Amino acid sequence: MDGYQLFMAMLAVYLCGLIGIGWYFTKRQKTVTDFWLAGRKVGTIGVGFSSAASWLTAGGILAVIGFFMLLGMGSIWGFVAPNILALLIIAIFVKRIKHLPAITQAELLEQRYSSAIRAPVGIIITIVMILFAVADIKGFALVLQIFYGVDPIYAALIVALAVSVYVTLGGLHAVVWTDVIQFAFLSIFAIIMAFLAVDSVTSNVATISTASDLFSGVPGDWWNPFIIGIPMVLIFVFAIIPGWITEQDPWQKVWAAKDSTSARNGLVLGSLLVTIVFSACAVIAIALSALYPEIPAAGFPMGMAQAEPALLTYIVSTFSPAIIGLSAIGLAAASMSCADTFATSGASCVSRDIYQRFIRPDATMKQMLAINRLSVLFIVAAATVASFFIDGIIEAIHIATFIASASYFFPLMGGLYWKRATKEGALAGLIVGAVAQISFTIYDKVMTSPMAPPYLETVHPILMNHGVIVGMALSGIAFFGVSFMTRPSNIVNLAPFFKEAAEELASHEAQAVDEDSAEYKKFLKNVDEQITGERAHLHLRLEGSATVNWTRFVEQLKDSYAAWVTPTGIDSVYRLIQADMLACVSITRGEGEKEIWFASEPPVDSVEMQKRELFIAYKEVAAALEETGVILTMANND
């Protein structure tokens, strides 16, 4: 058995394990929330390991090692520091977003502004996620090309097929727990390679006999993260970090967490895990620089063509086929742990923000689960095709980040914290930022000669990174300027985000419930209750006497009771009486066209009160349905 056959055998065993995890979670996919957010029941370990794994692509790791070899610690601001800082910053505002029942950022923005912004944001996020997935596929293609001389198309197919199978089977449940395994593979690989690379230096370089000799021989400037100058550090920070703190996939990990504490601690854990792997990358870079001194001597950017694959070259020239195969598995884990997250995140926009919101808002849960899986296949296929047209790994990541930063940073973050933000301002910021950034990027790519610095960077340093800071500035000016010139948002849009607006909306008189009545006791027997972390999950699944005309029913419900609103379309209807929208009772279609599913996720200390609210919601829904000629029934359960 040659080296490639050995690798394929190892890969087959590894992929069977991942697919087995996906198969295990298949039966847990009952609702859209189960598929995209793992039922909102992920703990600290799952959030932490999955967040770390999602941002450590194989191509990114190889590029980071290359940058360390050529630029030292001064290179951390282009990729390393933004990874770590973004997770910590998101952890700070977990409480601000955790109570929102969104599945995607586009859905959140519709809650805050209007339906007009949902489709554009959903499309932009889909494009961004495809570009991120491209970087994963290209990184793995580079690994197989150097290790085994395999054509890039086969690497793309391996990632595409593997990710498609276990994600479509198990949804985010499968993504999270395969990420835990894949991060373990990746981190062990990186740490072992760091030790082995140092050992190779001390064994083969005559002037270096100990690890102490190796590290003491590193030039002092190499260790200085501010060697590029504070102005350049600030340019990188403002160019990259806004895009990463508004990147959708870590927000979805927050929404998937069982409570705020798990989400916050998980993100902090994720940043620590990322730091450990990047520290190993720095050690590897120092050792490889000693083994291949001609690479750092070539300087940046000329030496990057050799620096990026330097680790792969070292592995091929040093180790046995078995070790090479295990190394390939470790880097495959990095590729797939990122690709699965980006496929899930992008596909949720296609399914939730495009199909369910605008094409089939009355789709049943069974129909949506099928669309969810098709959407995953679409994202993976699009990324696979795009990988043959984009050359640079980090370049693909940065282009995606810059588009996100310039287009929806201000509408998203401004909407969370600024009550005066309006839908017109959000649309203006989105359109101006997206058009400006895409135009800057295309112009910069066209005007830049091969092996030359980016053209816009030579015009002025503020135009570094395809002019993203200017793109963001234009977006911000449009967002704030138009918001001030237009009418404030509707109170229904403000209530989930601002407590005083929710209190104003909920000023109606509370309804009393006779808890000793036979009807209420029968109702409670039909309520499914589960406690997860700080919250309870209350579910009620009922069936009508005939097919429910969903559009007509929702209109009747809203006309009859002012508390019922559709801030994100008629597929989900909320009884909005408080700022904590997760606790508010919501209704959706069930698996069939006769079913209606009720849900509420209140804090544990208010479960009994929320059961009464659920009963009131049931009575109102039953009355509205009766007006449409449908009788809602409960099981006897005696």
Side-chain angles (χ1 to χ4, degrees):
M1 182 181 290
D2 63 22
Y4 182 63
Q5 291 174 327
L6 179 61
F7 161 70
M8 291 302 292
M10 292 179 179
L11 183 64
V13 173
Y14 179 68
L15 293 182
C16 284
L18 299 183
I19 293 170
I21 292 173
W23 181 262
Y24 173 78
F25 285 111
T26 298
K27 294 183 179 180
R28 299 194 181 191
Q29 312 310 313
K30 303 294 184 184
T31 69
V32 170
T33 303
D34 288 337
F35 190 89
W36 296 126
L37 298 181
R40 301 188 194 274
K41 297 177 182 178
V42 181
T44 297
I45 298 298
V47 172
F49 275 76
S50 186
S51 297
S54 300
W55 282 10
L56 289 174
T57 172
I61 288 171
L62 297 176
V64 164
I65 292 172
F67 280 119
F68 275 142
M69 291 179 71
L70 300 177
L71 300 172
M73 283 293 171
S75 67
I76 65 171
W77 305 105
F79 190 79
V80 174
N83 270 278
I84 298 166
L85 293 175
L87 290 176
L88 292 174
I89 292 170
I90 296 170
I92 293 172
F93 56 80
V94 158
K95 274 207 165 183
R96 190 70 178 176
I97 63 174
K98 182 69 180 92
H99 72 281
L100 299 169
I103 289 177
T104 68
Q105 288 176 332
E107 183 177 1
L108 180 149
L109 286 170
E110 181 177 5
Q111 290 174 359
R112 177 61 181 85
Y113 299 114
S114 81
S115 60
I117 199 169
R118 185 164 180 176
V121 172
I123 291 170
I124 290 173
I125 293 175
T126 300
I127 293 170
V128 167
M129 292 300 130
I130 289 172
L131 288 172
F132 280 138
V134 165
D136 304 319
I137 293 171
K138 292 197 72 67
F140 188 49
L142 180 63
V143 172
L144 293 192
Q145 192 171 23
I146 291 179
F147 280 0
Y148 304 111
V150 174
D151 191 282
I153 191 171
Y154 294 108
L157 290 175
I158 289 172
V159 174
L161 292 174
V163 169
S164 297
V165 173
Y166 70 77
V167 173
T168 55
L169 284 173
L172 191 68
H173 270 298
V175 170
V176 168
W177 294 110
T178 55
D179 280 355
V180 171
I181 293 172
Q182 293 182 132
F183 182 83
F185 268 94
L186 170 63
S187 57
I188 291 170
F189 162 76
I191 292 169
I192 290 176
M193 277 299 142
F195 279 103
L196 292 176
V198 170
D199 182 68
S200 293
V201 172
T202 57
S203 301
N204 297 294
V205 178
T207 57
I208 301 175
S209 57
T210 66
S212 178
D213 292 339
L214 172 63
F215 292 109
S216 63
V218 176
D221 287 347
W222 190 95
W223 300 100
N224 183 4
F226 301 104
I227 189 68
I228 62 174
I230 297 298
M232 292 299 293
V233 169
L234 293 176
I235 287 175
F236 273 112
V237 166
F238 286 111
I240 297 174
I241 290 181
W244 284 1
I245 64 174
T246 53
E247 188 178 315
Q248 177 168 273
D249 54 279
W251 287 50
Q252 289 180 317
K253 301 289 169 55
V254 171
W255 290 325
K258 64 182 181 180
D259 51 40
S260 297
T261 302
S262 298
R264 186 185 308 105
N265 292 345
L267 291 170
V268 173
L269 173 62
S271 68
L272 175 62
L273 295 173
V274 168
T275 302
I276 291 171
V277 173
F278 282 142
S279 298
C281 290
V283 173
I284 292 170
I286 291 172
L288 293 179
S289 295
L291 290 171
Y292 308 112
E294 68 278 6
I295 295 179
F300 183 84
M302 297 298 293
M304 199 61 188
Q306 293 175 288
E308 194 168 75
L311 174 61
L312 306 181
T313 302
Y314 164 71
I315 292 171
V316 168
S317 62
T318 306
F319 300 111
S320 67
I323 300 299
I324 294 173
L326 288 172
S327 299
I329 296 295
L331 292 168
S335 294
M336 286 186 280
S337 64
C338 292
D340 60 15
T341 292
F342 301 139
T344 305
S345 190
S348 64
C349 291
V350 175
S351 169
R352 182 82 172 158
D353 300 322
I354 306 299
Y355 183 83
Q356 188 174 22
R357 178 62 182 89
F358 296 104
I359 299 174
R360 282 292 305 277
D362 61 345
T364 65
M365 204 63 69
K366 186 175 182 179
Q367 291 168 337
M368 284 312 305
L369 287 175
I371 294 298
N372 294 347
R373 294 182 167 98
L374 289 174
S375 300
V376 170
L377 295 176
F378 165 74
I379 296 295
V380 173
T384 302
V385 172
S387 68
F388 298 108
F389 298 93
I390 297 176
D391 294 327
I393 296 169
I394 293 294
E395 178 70 357
I397 295 173
H398 279 173
I399 288 174
T401 300
F402 300 152
I403 292 173
S405 297
S407 57
Y408 61 89
F409 174 78
F410 284 108
L412 183 60
M413 301 307 295
L416 285 178
Y417 291 97
W418 189 40
K419 191 175 179 180
R420 189 62 182 78
T422 67
K423 64 180 180 181
E424 293 85 1
L427 273 171
L430 178 75
I431 294 170
V432 169
V435 171
Q437 189 54 46
I438 292 171
S439 300
F440 283 146
T441 301
I442 293 173
Y443 182 73
D444 201 17
K445 297 289 285 183
V446 170
M447 295 297 294
T448 301
S449 302
M451 301 306 295
Y455 173 76
L456 289 179
E457 185 178 329
T458 64
V459 175
H460 194 280
I462 200 68
L463 293 174
M464 284 182 62
N465 299 311
H466 303 309
V468 64
I469 291 180
V470 176
M472 283 187 64
L474 293 173
S475 174
I477 291 169
F479 171 70
F480 289 108
V482 175
S483 288
F484 277 122
M485 291 188 293
T486 50
R487 294 178 60 183
S489 298
N490 187 289
I491 191 171
V492 171
N493 298 108
L494 294 174
F497 299 86
F498 302 98
K499 187 175 181 180
E500 61 274 17
E503 290 173 349
E504 182 180 344
L505 191 68
S507 60
H508 65 281
E509 186 176 344
Q511 300 181 42
V513 173
D514 182 1
E515 297 181 48
D516 295 323
S517 69
E519 184 182 21
Y520 185 67
K521 291 178 180 179
K522 178 182 177 181
F523 167 81
L524 291 180
K525 292 178 180 179
N526 285 270
V527 176
D528 176 47
E529 176 184 348
Q530 297 179 15
I531 304 296
T532 305
E534 299 168 353
R535 288 188 179 264
H537 293 251
L538 304 179
H539 295 280
L540 177 66
R541 298 178 179 182
L542 302 179
E543 186 171 321
S545 59
T547 297
V548 176
N549 183 324
W550 189 257
T551 302
R552 182 185 171 196
F553 156 65
V554 172
E555 290 174 355
Q556 180 66 45
L557 182 64
K558 291 169 64 178
D559 288 343
S560 302
Y561 305 98
W564 288 95
V565 296
T566 52
T568 58
I570 67 169
D571 54 273
S572 299
V573 192
Y574 295 89
R575 192 170 186 272
L576 188 57
I577 61 170
Q578 56 180 300
D580 184 355
M581 279 191 72
L582 273 183
C584 291
V585 177
S586 67
I587 58 171
T588 60
R589 297 206 83 156
E591 285 189 346
E593 294 185 346
K594 292 183 179 182
E595 295 181 14
I596 295 181
W597 289 359
F598 295 70
S600 173
E601 298 179 28
V604 172
D605 58 4
S606 61
V607 170
E608 294 307 315
M609 180 188 73
Q610 199 59 28
K611 286 179 181 177
R612 295 192 292 272
E613 290 293 337
L614 191 62
F615 179 71
I616 294 169
Y618 154 71
K619 297 286 286 183
E620 292 175 349
V621 167
L625 272 176
E626 192 170 348
E627 290 293 322
T628 68
V630 178
I631 305 300
L632 193 61
T633 58
M634 284 190 293
N636 210 352
N637 286 337
D638 287 332

